[in-house]
Amino acid sequence: MTTEAARGPGTAAGGSRELVLGRIRAALAGRPPGERPGDVPVGRGYLDVHTDEDPAALAELLARHLTEYRAAVHRTDRSGLPAVLAGLLAARGSRTVVVPPGLPGHWLAGTTGVEQLHDEKDLLTPALLDAADSVVTGCALAVAETGTLVLDAGPGQGRRALTLVPDHHICVVEAPGQVVASLPRALPRLDPARPLTWISGPSATSDIELDRVEGVHGPRTLDVVITGPE
Amino acid sequence: MSRTFVGMPAFPRAAREAVRDRTLRNNLRRATHTIREKRAGAVAELADWEQLRQAGKEIKDRTLRHLDHYVLQLEERVTAAGGTVHWAADATEANRIVAELVRATGEREVVKVKSMATQETGLNEALAAEGITAYETDLAELIVQLGRDRPSHILVPAIHRNRSEIWDIFRAEMGRWGRPAPDGLGDEPAELAEAARLHLREKFLRARVAVSGANFMVAETGTLVVVESEGNGRMCLTLPETLITVAGIEKVVPTWRDLEVFLQTLPRSSTAERMNPYTSTWTGVRDGDGPRHFHLVLLDNGRTATLADEVGRQALRCIRCSACLNVCPVYERAGGHAYGSVYPGPIGAILSPQLRGTESGIDASLPYASSLCGACYEVCPVAIDIPEVLVELRERVAGQAGHRAERAAMRAGRWVLEDPARLARAQRAASAVRGLVPRRIPLPGPAGAWTASRDTPQVPAESFRAWWAGRGAGGAEPGGPDQDRREPGPGGGRREHGTDRGRPDHGTEEER
């Protein structure tokens, strides 16, 4: 490796950084001196929400929009959750399930005959994840208007690969606490420093004749369990 | 600098060939009409669409006007979060940076997320020259790569291919790149998608280096955003050890909050969905989750030249949704390849000549690849006035060498119009010989392209000015009884500039 390459091409050491910045400044020469970015007006006349924010209505809307994008939605109360999860794993015929750190222990208490793969000290390799039948997680929040689940790698969700490689993802949404109406409601509740995955239905493509087909690289089956209060 | 497709003829010739290809026209018409109606439905769901569009425009305008500030802020935040930022003045430099970063890992292959920026720089070819194989993982990009083809649409680069053509390509080519297509493969889209899943799976699971683009880069947090559907993006952004992202400097947005606008407008404009299946955001590197090394290559490659033009600058607002392609009557008939650039359609007609300059035949002809119907402006989620920029670029092209005859004709016209007496003499002369003017006047050379498709205007027996002057001398008043109804009322009467816009000419029914 040459000295130049060792220093790293195009890095702050010089080269094109100053060139590009100089070009940007030259292109903006017509800008009045002293103008600050905030002086350029940005109107935000758009709506914060497009829907009724009643908690029951939001859970209903979330369920409808997820279903329209081919996720299977199941409703239960908190005490019914273990039985619903056990039923979904059994219906799928899953023999192994990936369990992220921090998943509440009782969620899988009703599940028998399914090996739990915990992603703890020895992280699961991509090959092990590929061979796993299902993964069960919670989420950071869900957006009703767009039918979106947001995972932030927090407790009960795990690192991003866990919900990506297995072909079957079961995601639990706790209503009403985790359900928001809209994107303007969602963003302030999310921490951009964490890696976020926004999921709206199972993997899909429109690349052949602009016709939507479900199921490419991400999980092809997405089960969403919305739990209500007791 | 930026590459044109090698040997690309100017738009009119390329388009003429494409229009003769009936399979291509049918594929395109079917696909664009489907998505057009769906988009309109997705947009109609939001009562505040116009406000979202306006906010998107203003956020981008603020960013561009203070791009130096925001790019520096982004660099600082990405670096603070553990990423390394590189600056590339042009395509060659960007490709060299990526090649050196890949070589430093000791790897010989990379997986790629669909990225317009690396299409623009010709990264795959540059890597191949260094002995590095780049695997495209987006389904449409895979179809283009396997078919040794060129992209023809921003969102769906293989839009010009129908299912049976894709079936042919998969069966013939997959085996040369890795796992072959399954035996008994059918041409249903679901089966073709399954074949792509199997073909790419082994590549994702063993990949150690990935290359991506970015839809947005948030300056205040150093967060990058990739919007996708298939999950190939998540695979590339999550599984490898090293991630290299190449993005144009105009992809920056000031704040995290700004995403609330674009994540509403982009999916609805692009795939007509309330939200695309997967969006990934990441900030630098994170222990135990995702790549351990993250490099961001900030690309200029003509963007600063575009920024310098205060009218043309608005092209840099583009969020690559491709709604303008799907609605354009010219794109629908000519197809994406005729534009001679990875950016086809109306946005390509204003972006390519600005990024690359207007010297080449194809770039000088692109500003004319439009009927100025304005449908593109109507659907643009960041309100880029594409017709306005087209007209500005036409002026620029007309001002360069090679337009002597046109300028001479304009000068002659100006000389006649400047003086009322000269104009009157010219009009009398025209009326006197009106019986001799043929319906068509075939002009020699390039002007022939204009006259070949146009009738000569009919010269009236008497000019309006002559008729008006004669009328005062006691002549009839043909317009008299209608005068009152024609009186321009407040706000009425005179046609406002631009009222023709938003009515694309879809009138011509094509052959089936």
Side-chain angles (χ1 to χ4, degrees), chain A residues 66-71 200-206 211-222, chain B residues 189-191 193-194 197 229-230 273 277-278:
Chain A
L66 280 164
T67 308
E68 280 180 24
Y69 285 154
R70 305 283 196 276
S200 309
S203 158
T205 182
S206 302
D211 204 8
R212 186 178 158 115
V213 177
E214 277 78 26
V216 199
H217 305 297
R220 288 181 290 184
T221 307
L222 176 64
Chain B
E191 285 178 80
E194 165 78 14
R197 176 186 170 95
S229 297
E230 296 169 13
E273 292 166 306
Y278 298 133

PDB file of all heavy atoms in Angstrom, chain A residues 66-71 200-206 211-222, chain B residues 189-191 193-194 197 229-230 273 277-278:
ATOM      1  N   LEU A  66     -51.718  -2.678   8.410  1.00  0.00           N
ATOM      2  CA  LEU A  66     -50.776  -3.802   8.353  1.00  0.00           C
ATOM      3  C   LEU A  66     -51.353  -4.932   7.505  1.00  0.00           C
ATOM      4  O   LEU A  66     -50.655  -5.550   6.705  1.00  0.00           O
ATOM      5  CB  LEU A  66     -50.475  -4.307   9.765  1.00  0.00           C
ATOM      6  CG  LEU A  66     -49.444  -3.504  10.564  1.00  0.00           C
ATOM      7  CD1 LEU A  66     -49.527  -3.851  12.043  1.00  0.00           C
ATOM      8  CD2 LEU A  66     -48.035  -3.772  10.044  1.00  0.00           C
ATOM      9  N   THR A  67     -52.641  -5.179   7.692  1.00  0.00           N
ATOM     10  CA  THR A  67     -53.289  -6.261   6.944  1.00  0.00           C
ATOM     11  C   THR A  67     -53.290  -5.968   5.446  1.00  0.00           C
ATOM     12  O   THR A  67     -53.058  -6.855   4.627  1.00  0.00           O
ATOM     13  CB  THR A  67     -54.734  -6.448   7.440  1.00  0.00           C
ATOM     14  OG1 THR A  67     -54.703  -6.579   8.860  1.00  0.00           O
ATOM     15  CG2 THR A  67     -55.368  -7.681   6.836  1.00  0.00           C
ATOM     16  N   GLU A  68     -53.531  -4.691   5.105  1.00  0.00           N
ATOM     17  CA  GLU A  68     -53.538  -4.342   3.681  1.00  0.00           C
ATOM     18  C   GLU A  68     -52.201  -4.630   3.017  1.00  0.00           C
ATOM     19  O   GLU A  68     -52.139  -4.906   1.825  1.00  0.00           O
ATOM     20  CB  GLU A  68     -53.903  -2.864   3.501  1.00  0.00           C
ATOM     21  CG  GLU A  68     -55.393  -2.625   3.606  1.00  0.00           C
ATOM     22  CD  GLU A  68     -55.761  -1.158   3.439  1.00  0.00           C
ATOM     23  OE1 GLU A  68     -54.997  -0.392   2.819  1.00  0.00           O
ATOM     24  OE2 GLU A  68     -56.835  -0.779   3.943  1.00  0.00           O
ATOM     25  N   TYR A  69     -51.120  -4.536   3.795  1.00  0.00           N
ATOM     26  CA  TYR A  69     -49.813  -4.856   3.233  1.00  0.00           C
ATOM     27  C   TYR A  69     -49.392  -6.273   3.565  1.00  0.00           C
ATOM     28  O   TYR A  69     -48.208  -6.587   3.624  1.00  0.00           O
ATOM     29  CB  TYR A  69     -48.765  -3.823   3.673  1.00  0.00           C
ATOM     30  CG  TYR A  69     -48.920  -2.511   2.925  1.00  0.00           C
ATOM     31  CD1 TYR A  69     -48.505  -1.309   3.467  1.00  0.00           C
ATOM     32  CD2 TYR A  69     -49.491  -2.481   1.645  1.00  0.00           C
ATOM     33  CE1 TYR A  69     -48.653  -0.115   2.773  1.00  0.00           C
ATOM     34  CE2 TYR A  69     -49.644  -1.293   0.954  1.00  0.00           C
ATOM     35  CZ  TYR A  69     -49.224  -0.110   1.518  1.00  0.00           C
ATOM     36  OH  TYR A  69     -49.372   1.070   0.820  1.00  0.00           O
ATOM     37  N   ARG A  70     -50.382  -7.131   3.788  1.00  0.00           N
ATOM     38  CA  ARG A  70     -50.155  -8.581   3.862  1.00  0.00           C
ATOM     39  C   ARG A  70     -49.426  -9.059   5.109  1.00  0.00           C
ATOM     40  O   ARG A  70     -48.815 -10.123   5.092  1.00  0.00           O
ATOM     41  CB  ARG A  70     -49.385  -9.083   2.633  1.00  0.00           C
ATOM     42  CG  ARG A  70     -50.017  -8.737   1.315  1.00  0.00           C
ATOM     43  CD  ARG A  70     -51.200  -9.630   1.014  1.00  0.00           C
ATOM     44  NE  ARG A  70     -51.558  -9.544  -0.393  1.00  0.00           N
ATOM     45  CZ  ARG A  70     -52.350  -8.580  -0.893  1.00  0.00           C
ATOM     46  NH1 ARG A  70     -52.853  -7.657  -0.110  1.00  0.00           N
ATOM     47  NH2 ARG A  70     -52.629  -8.561  -2.185  1.00  0.00           N
ATOM     48  N   ALA A  71     -49.464  -8.269   6.177  1.00  0.00           N
ATOM     49  CA  ALA A  71     -49.044  -8.818   7.462  1.00  0.00           C
ATOM     50  C   ALA A  71     -50.278  -9.489   8.060  1.00  0.00           C
ATOM     51  O   ALA A  71     -51.404  -9.066   7.795  1.00  0.00           O
ATOM     52  CB  ALA A  71     -48.540  -7.711   8.375  1.00  0.00           C
ATOM     53  N   SER A 200     -42.977  -2.132   7.252  1.00  0.00           N
ATOM     54  CA  SER A 200     -44.381  -1.949   6.870  1.00  0.00           C
ATOM     55  C   SER A 200     -44.791  -3.132   6.012  1.00  0.00           C
ATOM     56  O   SER A 200     -44.707  -3.084   4.787  1.00  0.00           O
ATOM     57  CB  SER A 200     -44.563  -0.634   6.110  1.00  0.00           C
ATOM     58  OG  SER A 200     -43.989   0.432   6.844  1.00  0.00           O
ATOM     59  N   GLY A 201     -45.189  -4.195   6.653  1.00  0.00           N
ATOM     60  CA  GLY A 201     -45.549  -5.407   5.916  1.00  0.00           C
ATOM     61  C   GLY A 201     -44.319  -6.246   5.649  1.00  0.00           C
ATOM     62  O   GLY A 201     -43.198  -5.817   5.898  1.00  0.00           O
ATOM     63  N   PRO A 202     -44.513  -7.454   5.130  1.00  0.00           N
ATOM     64  CA  PRO A 202     -43.365  -8.301   4.807  1.00  0.00           C
ATOM     65  C   PRO A 202     -42.620  -7.758   3.605  1.00  0.00           C
ATOM     66  O   PRO A 202     -43.117  -6.906   2.882  1.00  0.00           O
ATOM     67  CB  PRO A 202     -44.001  -9.659   4.505  1.00  0.00           C
ATOM     68  CG  PRO A 202     -45.406  -9.372   4.147  1.00  0.00           C
ATOM     69  CD  PRO A 202     -45.795  -8.104   4.821  1.00  0.00           C
ATOM     70  N   SER A 203     -41.405  -8.275   3.425  1.00  0.00           N
ATOM     71  CA  SER A 203     -40.582  -7.948   2.271  1.00  0.00           C
ATOM     72  C   SER A 203     -41.413  -8.001   0.978  1.00  0.00           C
ATOM     73  O   SER A 203     -42.267  -8.857   0.816  1.00  0.00           O
ATOM     74  CB  SER A 203     -39.457  -8.982   2.227  1.00  0.00           C
ATOM     75  OG  SER A 203     -38.900  -9.090   0.952  1.00  0.00           O
ATOM     76  N   ALA A 204     -41.164  -7.052   0.085  1.00  0.00           N
ATOM     77  CA  ALA A 204     -41.957  -7.007  -1.144  1.00  0.00           C
ATOM     78  C   ALA A 204     -41.121  -6.403  -2.261  1.00  0.00           C
ATOM     79  O   ALA A 204     -40.078  -5.810  -2.025  1.00  0.00           O
ATOM     80  CB  ALA A 204     -43.220  -6.171  -0.939  1.00  0.00           C
ATOM     81  N   THR A 205     -41.594  -6.576  -3.482  1.00  0.00           N
ATOM     82  CA  THR A 205     -40.941  -5.908  -4.610  1.00  0.00           C
ATOM     83  C   THR A 205     -41.994  -5.509  -5.628  1.00  0.00           C
ATOM     84  O   THR A 205     -43.033  -6.161  -5.744  1.00  0.00           O
ATOM     85  CB  THR A 205     -39.889  -6.798  -5.291  1.00  0.00           C
ATOM     86  OG1 THR A 205     -39.270  -6.049  -6.340  1.00  0.00           O
ATOM     87  CG2 THR A 205     -40.513  -8.056  -5.886  1.00  0.00           C
ATOM     88  N   SER A 206     -41.734  -4.429  -6.321  1.00  0.00           N
ATOM     89  CA  SER A 206     -42.588  -4.025  -7.440  1.00  0.00           C
ATOM     90  C   SER A 206     -41.765  -3.988  -8.712  1.00  0.00           C
ATOM     91  O   SER A 206     -42.101  -3.303  -9.668  1.00  0.00           O
ATOM     92  CB  SER A 206     -43.201  -2.647  -7.173  1.00  0.00           C
ATOM     93  OG  SER A 206     -43.941  -2.645  -5.990  1.00  0.00           O
ATOM     94  N   ASP A 211     -45.643  -4.467 -10.404  1.00  0.00           N
ATOM     95  CA  ASP A 211     -46.688  -5.246  -9.780  1.00  0.00           C
ATOM     96  C   ASP A 211     -46.140  -5.703  -8.433  1.00  0.00           C
ATOM     97  O   ASP A 211     -45.078  -6.303  -8.374  1.00  0.00           O
ATOM     98  CB  ASP A 211     -46.934  -6.459 -10.698  1.00  0.00           C
ATOM     99  CG  ASP A 211     -48.320  -7.012 -10.521  1.00  0.00           C
ATOM    100  OD1 ASP A 211     -49.113  -6.374  -9.818  1.00  0.00           O
ATOM    101  OD2 ASP A 211     -48.577  -8.090 -11.093  1.00  0.00           O
ATOM    102  N   ARG A 212     -46.859  -5.401  -7.327  1.00  0.00           N
ATOM    103  CA  ARG A 212     -46.305  -5.720  -6.020  1.00  0.00           C
ATOM    104  C   ARG A 212     -46.381  -7.225  -5.740  1.00  0.00           C
ATOM    105  O   ARG A 212     -47.420  -7.842  -5.877  1.00  0.00           O
ATOM    106  CB  ARG A 212     -47.047  -4.944  -4.930  1.00  0.00           C
ATOM    107  CG  ARG A 212     -46.438  -5.114  -3.537  1.00  0.00           C
ATOM    108  CD  ARG A 212     -47.199  -4.273  -2.511  1.00  0.00           C
ATOM    109  NE  ARG A 212     -46.997  -4.801  -1.181  1.00  0.00           N
ATOM    110  CZ  ARG A 212     -46.373  -4.153  -0.204  1.00  0.00           C
ATOM    111  NH1 ARG A 212     -45.894  -2.957  -0.418  1.00  0.00           N
ATOM    112  NH2 ARG A 212     -46.243  -4.701   0.986  1.00  0.00           N
ATOM    113  N   VAL A 213     -45.241  -7.792  -5.342  1.00  0.00           N
ATOM    114  CA  VAL A 213     -45.156  -9.205  -4.969  1.00  0.00           C
ATOM    115  C   VAL A 213     -44.558  -9.262  -3.572  1.00  0.00           C
ATOM    116  O   VAL A 213     -43.539  -8.629  -3.309  1.00  0.00           O
ATOM    117  CB  VAL A 213     -44.210  -9.974  -5.927  1.00  0.00           C
ATOM    118  CG1 VAL A 213     -44.072 -11.423  -5.482  1.00  0.00           C
ATOM    119  CG2 VAL A 213     -44.711  -9.903  -7.344  1.00  0.00           C
ATOM    120  N   GLU A 214     -45.188 -10.003  -2.671  1.00  0.00           N
ATOM    121  CA  GLU A 214     -44.646 -10.119  -1.320  1.00  0.00           C
ATOM    122  C   GLU A 214     -43.590 -11.209  -1.287  1.00  0.00           C
ATOM    123  O   GLU A 214     -43.770 -12.277  -1.868  1.00  0.00           O
ATOM    124  CB  GLU A 214     -45.751 -10.448  -0.302  1.00  0.00           C
ATOM    125  CG  GLU A 214     -46.523  -9.228   0.174  1.00  0.00           C
ATOM    126  CD  GLU A 214     -47.549  -8.756  -0.837  1.00  0.00           C
ATOM    127  OE1 GLU A 214     -48.005  -9.593  -1.636  1.00  0.00           O
ATOM    128  OE2 GLU A 214     -47.870  -7.547  -0.849  1.00  0.00           O
ATOM    129  N   GLY A 215     -42.523 -10.926  -0.564  1.00  0.00           N
ATOM    130  CA  GLY A 215     -41.568 -11.981  -0.279  1.00  0.00           C
ATOM    131  C   GLY A 215     -40.325 -11.971  -1.124  1.00  0.00           C
ATOM    132  O   GLY A 215     -40.283 -12.592  -2.173  1.00  0.00           O
ATOM    133  N   VAL A 216     -39.285 -11.250  -0.687  1.00  0.00           N
ATOM    134  CA  VAL A 216     -38.012 -11.353  -1.370  1.00  0.00           C
ATOM    135  C   VAL A 216     -36.954 -11.742  -0.327  1.00  0.00           C
ATOM    136  O   VAL A 216     -36.884 -12.898   0.055  1.00  0.00           O
ATOM    137  CB  VAL A 216     -37.640 -10.086  -2.158  1.00  0.00           C
ATOM    138  CG1 VAL A 216     -36.569 -10.407  -3.193  1.00  0.00           C
ATOM    139  CG2 VAL A 216     -38.857  -9.534  -2.889  1.00  0.00           C
ATOM    140  N   HIS A 217     -36.205 -10.754   0.205  1.00  0.00           N
ATOM    141  CA  HIS A 217     -35.081 -11.153   1.064  1.00  0.00           C
ATOM    142  C   HIS A 217     -35.381 -11.109   2.549  1.00  0.00           C
ATOM    143  O   HIS A 217     -34.822 -11.865   3.314  1.00  0.00           O
ATOM    144  CB  HIS A 217     -33.872 -10.287   0.746  1.00  0.00           C
ATOM    145  CG  HIS A 217     -33.508 -10.327  -0.693  1.00  0.00           C
ATOM    146  ND1 HIS A 217     -33.105 -11.483  -1.306  1.00  0.00           N
ATOM    147  CD2 HIS A 217     -33.555  -9.382  -1.656  1.00  0.00           C
ATOM    148  CE1 HIS A 217     -32.894 -11.236  -2.581  1.00  0.00           C
ATOM    149  NE2 HIS A 217     -33.161  -9.973  -2.823  1.00  0.00           N
ATOM    150  N   GLY A 218     -36.203 -10.189   2.972  1.00  0.00           N
ATOM    151  CA  GLY A 218     -36.532 -10.127   4.393  1.00  0.00           C
ATOM    152  C   GLY A 218     -37.513 -11.236   4.728  1.00  0.00           C
ATOM    153  O   GLY A 218     -37.861 -12.041   3.871  1.00  0.00           O
ATOM    154  N   PRO A 219     -37.969 -11.296   6.011  1.00  0.00           N
ATOM    155  CA  PRO A 219     -38.947 -12.329   6.370  1.00  0.00           C
ATOM    156  C   PRO A 219     -40.164 -12.262   5.447  1.00  0.00           C
ATOM    157  O   PRO A 219     -40.736 -11.206   5.239  1.00  0.00           O
ATOM    158  CB  PRO A 219     -39.328 -11.949   7.798  1.00  0.00           C
ATOM    159  CG  PRO A 219     -38.157 -11.197   8.323  1.00  0.00           C
ATOM    160  CD  PRO A 219     -37.596 -10.455   7.144  1.00  0.00           C
ATOM    161  N   ARG A 220     -40.547 -13.424   4.913  1.00  0.00           N
ATOM    162  CA  ARG A 220     -41.671 -13.421   3.980  1.00  0.00           C
ATOM    163  C   ARG A 220     -43.009 -13.535   4.698  1.00  0.00           C
ATOM    164  O   ARG A 220     -44.044 -13.299   4.095  1.00  0.00           O
ATOM    165  CB  ARG A 220     -41.477 -14.542   2.956  1.00  0.00           C
ATOM    166  CG  ARG A 220     -40.369 -14.196   1.977  1.00  0.00           C
ATOM    167  CD  ARG A 220     -40.163 -15.273   0.951  1.00  0.00           C
ATOM    168  NE  ARG A 220     -39.586 -16.469   1.541  1.00  0.00           N
ATOM    169  CZ  ARG A 220     -39.230 -17.542   0.845  1.00  0.00           C
ATOM    170  NH1 ARG A 220     -39.419 -17.553  -0.458  1.00  0.00           N
ATOM    171  NH2 ARG A 220     -38.694 -18.579   1.431  1.00  0.00           N
ATOM    172  N   THR A 221     -42.944 -13.951   5.954  1.00  0.00           N
ATOM    173  CA  THR A 221     -44.168 -13.988   6.744  1.00  0.00           C
ATOM    174  C   THR A 221     -43.996 -13.079   7.955  1.00  0.00           C
ATOM    175  O   THR A 221     -43.036 -13.221   8.711  1.00  0.00           O
ATOM    176  CB  THR A 221     -44.477 -15.423   7.209  1.00  0.00           C
ATOM    177  OG1 THR A 221     -44.472 -16.275   6.068  1.00  0.00           O
ATOM    178  CG2 THR A 221     -45.820 -15.486   7.909  1.00  0.00           C
ATOM    179  N   LEU A 222     -44.905 -12.123   8.082  1.00  0.00           N
ATOM    180  CA  LEU A 222     -44.866 -11.199   9.219  1.00  0.00           C
ATOM    181  C   LEU A 222     -46.170 -11.335   9.997  1.00  0.00           C
ATOM    182  O   LEU A 222     -47.251 -11.029   9.479  1.00  0.00           O
ATOM    183  CB  LEU A 222     -44.696  -9.763   8.717  1.00  0.00           C
ATOM    184  CG  LEU A 222     -44.745  -8.664   9.794  1.00  0.00           C
ATOM    185  CD1 LEU A 222     -43.591  -8.790  10.785  1.00  0.00           C
ATOM    186  CD2 LEU A 222     -44.712  -7.271   9.147  1.00  0.00           C
TER     187      LEU A 222
ATOM    188  N   PRO B 189     -44.323 -13.337 -11.457  1.00  0.00           N
ATOM    189  CA  PRO B 189     -43.423 -12.487 -10.675  1.00  0.00           C
ATOM    190  C   PRO B 189     -43.021 -13.110  -9.335  1.00  0.00           C
ATOM    191  O   PRO B 189     -41.862 -12.981  -8.916  1.00  0.00           O
ATOM    192  CB  PRO B 189     -44.248 -11.208 -10.476  1.00  0.00           C
ATOM    193  CG  PRO B 189     -45.091 -11.131 -11.705  1.00  0.00           C
ATOM    194  CD  PRO B 189     -45.417 -12.561 -12.054  1.00  0.00           C
ATOM    195  N   ALA B 190     -43.923 -13.805  -8.661  1.00  0.00           N
ATOM    196  CA  ALA B 190     -43.577 -14.401  -7.370  1.00  0.00           C
ATOM    197  C   ALA B 190     -42.490 -15.467  -7.529  1.00  0.00           C
ATOM    198  O   ALA B 190     -41.589 -15.577  -6.700  1.00  0.00           O
ATOM    199  CB  ALA B 190     -44.822 -14.999  -6.717  1.00  0.00           C
ATOM    200  N   GLU B 191     -42.561 -16.242  -8.590  1.00  0.00           N
ATOM    201  CA  GLU B 191     -41.540 -17.275  -8.823  1.00  0.00           C
ATOM    202  C   GLU B 191     -40.195 -16.649  -9.170  1.00  0.00           C
ATOM    203  O   GLU B 191     -39.136 -17.121  -8.747  1.00  0.00           O
ATOM    204  CB  GLU B 191     -41.968 -18.183  -9.977  1.00  0.00           C
ATOM    205  CG  GLU B 191     -43.056 -19.169  -9.629  1.00  0.00           C
ATOM    206  CD  GLU B 191     -43.441 -19.985 -10.853  1.00  0.00           C
ATOM    207  OE1 GLU B 191     -42.717 -20.947 -11.180  1.00  0.00           O
ATOM    208  OE2 GLU B 191     -44.452 -19.626 -11.483  1.00  0.00           O
ATOM    209  N   ALA B 193     -39.192 -13.705  -8.196  1.00  0.00           N
ATOM    210  CA  ALA B 193     -38.666 -13.111  -6.971  1.00  0.00           C
ATOM    211  C   ALA B 193     -38.033 -14.197  -6.092  1.00  0.00           C
ATOM    212  O   ALA B 193     -36.991 -13.982  -5.471  1.00  0.00           O
ATOM    213  CB  ALA B 193     -39.778 -12.385  -6.213  1.00  0.00           C
ATOM    214  N   GLU B 194     -38.643 -15.366  -6.045  1.00  0.00           N
ATOM    215  CA  GLU B 194     -38.106 -16.487  -5.273  1.00  0.00           C
ATOM    216  C   GLU B 194     -36.741 -16.927  -5.832  1.00  0.00           C
ATOM    217  O   GLU B 194     -35.801 -17.203  -5.072  1.00  0.00           O
ATOM    218  CB  GLU B 194     -39.106 -17.656  -5.312  1.00  0.00           C
ATOM    219  CG  GLU B 194     -38.569 -19.003  -4.867  1.00  0.00           C
ATOM    220  CD  GLU B 194     -38.454 -19.154  -3.359  1.00  0.00           C
ATOM    221  OE1 GLU B 194     -39.039 -18.299  -2.645  1.00  0.00           O
ATOM    222  OE2 GLU B 194     -37.788 -20.099  -2.906  1.00  0.00           O
ATOM    223  N   ARG B 197     -34.242 -14.539  -4.645  1.00  0.00           N
ATOM    224  CA  ARG B 197     -33.956 -14.732  -3.224  1.00  0.00           C
ATOM    225  C   ARG B 197     -32.908 -15.836  -3.042  1.00  0.00           C
ATOM    226  O   ARG B 197     -31.925 -15.667  -2.330  1.00  0.00           O
ATOM    227  CB  ARG B 197     -35.253 -15.094  -2.485  1.00  0.00           C
ATOM    228  CG  ARG B 197     -35.062 -15.420  -1.014  1.00  0.00           C
ATOM    229  CD  ARG B 197     -36.377 -15.904  -0.387  1.00  0.00           C
ATOM    230  NE  ARG B 197     -36.183 -16.446   0.943  1.00  0.00           N
ATOM    231  CZ  ARG B 197     -36.339 -15.773   2.078  1.00  0.00           C
ATOM    232  NH1 ARG B 197     -36.689 -14.506   2.026  1.00  0.00           N
ATOM    233  NH2 ARG B 197     -36.126 -16.333   3.243  1.00  0.00           N
ATOM    234  N   SER B 229     -37.625  -1.838  -0.414  1.00  0.00           N
ATOM    235  CA  SER B 229     -38.771  -2.727  -0.343  1.00  0.00           C
ATOM    236  C   SER B 229     -38.413  -4.174  -0.058  1.00  0.00           C
ATOM    237  O   SER B 229     -39.146  -4.875   0.616  1.00  0.00           O
ATOM    238  CB  SER B 229     -39.533  -2.713  -1.676  1.00  0.00           C
ATOM    239  OG  SER B 229     -40.041  -1.443  -1.942  1.00  0.00           O
ATOM    240  N   GLU B 230     -37.303  -4.630  -0.620  1.00  0.00           N
ATOM    241  CA  GLU B 230     -37.093  -6.072  -0.700  1.00  0.00           C
ATOM    242  C   GLU B 230     -36.405  -6.671   0.514  1.00  0.00           C
ATOM    243  O   GLU B 230     -36.543  -7.861   0.789  1.00  0.00           O
ATOM    244  CB  GLU B 230     -36.261  -6.393  -1.948  1.00  0.00           C
ATOM    245  CG  GLU B 230     -36.992  -6.029  -3.224  1.00  0.00           C
ATOM    246  CD  GLU B 230     -36.102  -6.091  -4.450  1.00  0.00           C
ATOM    247  OE1 GLU B 230     -34.996  -6.649  -4.370  1.00  0.00           O
ATOM    248  OE2 GLU B 230     -36.511  -5.565  -5.495  1.00  0.00           O
ATOM    249  N   GLU B 273     -47.176   3.682  -2.121  1.00  0.00           N
ATOM    250  CA  GLU B 273     -47.459   3.012  -0.859  1.00  0.00           C
ATOM    251  C   GLU B 273     -47.528   4.048   0.266  1.00  0.00           C
ATOM    252  O   GLU B 273     -46.878   5.085   0.191  1.00  0.00           O
ATOM    253  CB  GLU B 273     -46.339   2.015  -0.524  1.00  0.00           C
ATOM    254  CG  GLU B 273     -46.296   0.837  -1.467  1.00  0.00           C
ATOM    255  CD  GLU B 273     -44.998   0.037  -1.346  1.00  0.00           C
ATOM    256  OE1 GLU B 273     -43.914   0.640  -1.466  1.00  0.00           O
ATOM    257  OE2 GLU B 273     -45.081  -1.167  -1.143  1.00  0.00           O
ATOM    258  N   PRO B 277     -41.899  -1.098   2.431  1.00  0.00           N
ATOM    259  CA  PRO B 277     -41.731  -2.167   3.431  1.00  0.00           C
ATOM    260  C   PRO B 277     -40.600  -1.930   4.435  1.00  0.00           C
ATOM    261  O   PRO B 277     -40.785  -2.181   5.616  1.00  0.00           O
ATOM    262  CB  PRO B 277     -41.477  -3.404   2.568  1.00  0.00           C
ATOM    263  CG  PRO B 277     -42.253  -3.128   1.308  1.00  0.00           C
ATOM    264  CD  PRO B 277     -42.082  -1.647   1.077  1.00  0.00           C
ATOM    265  N   TYR B 278     -39.430  -1.481   3.975  1.00  0.00           N
ATOM    266  CA  TYR B 278     -38.316  -1.340   4.920  1.00  0.00           C
ATOM    267  C   TYR B 278     -37.621   0.006   4.782  1.00  0.00           C
ATOM    268  O   TYR B 278     -37.264   0.427   3.677  1.00  0.00           O
ATOM    269  CB  TYR B 278     -37.255  -2.417   4.675  1.00  0.00           C
ATOM    270  CG  TYR B 278     -37.728  -3.827   4.870  1.00  0.00           C
ATOM    271  CD1 TYR B 278     -37.440  -4.805   3.924  1.00  0.00           C
ATOM    272  CD2 TYR B 278     -38.450  -4.197   6.004  1.00  0.00           C
ATOM    273  CE1 TYR B 278     -37.853  -6.118   4.096  1.00  0.00           C
ATOM    274  CE2 TYR B 278     -38.874  -5.502   6.185  1.00  0.00           C
ATOM    275  CZ  TYR B 278     -38.576  -6.452   5.229  1.00  0.00           C
ATOM    276  OH  TYR B 278     -38.987  -7.744   5.398  1.00  0.00           O
TER     277      TYR B 278
END
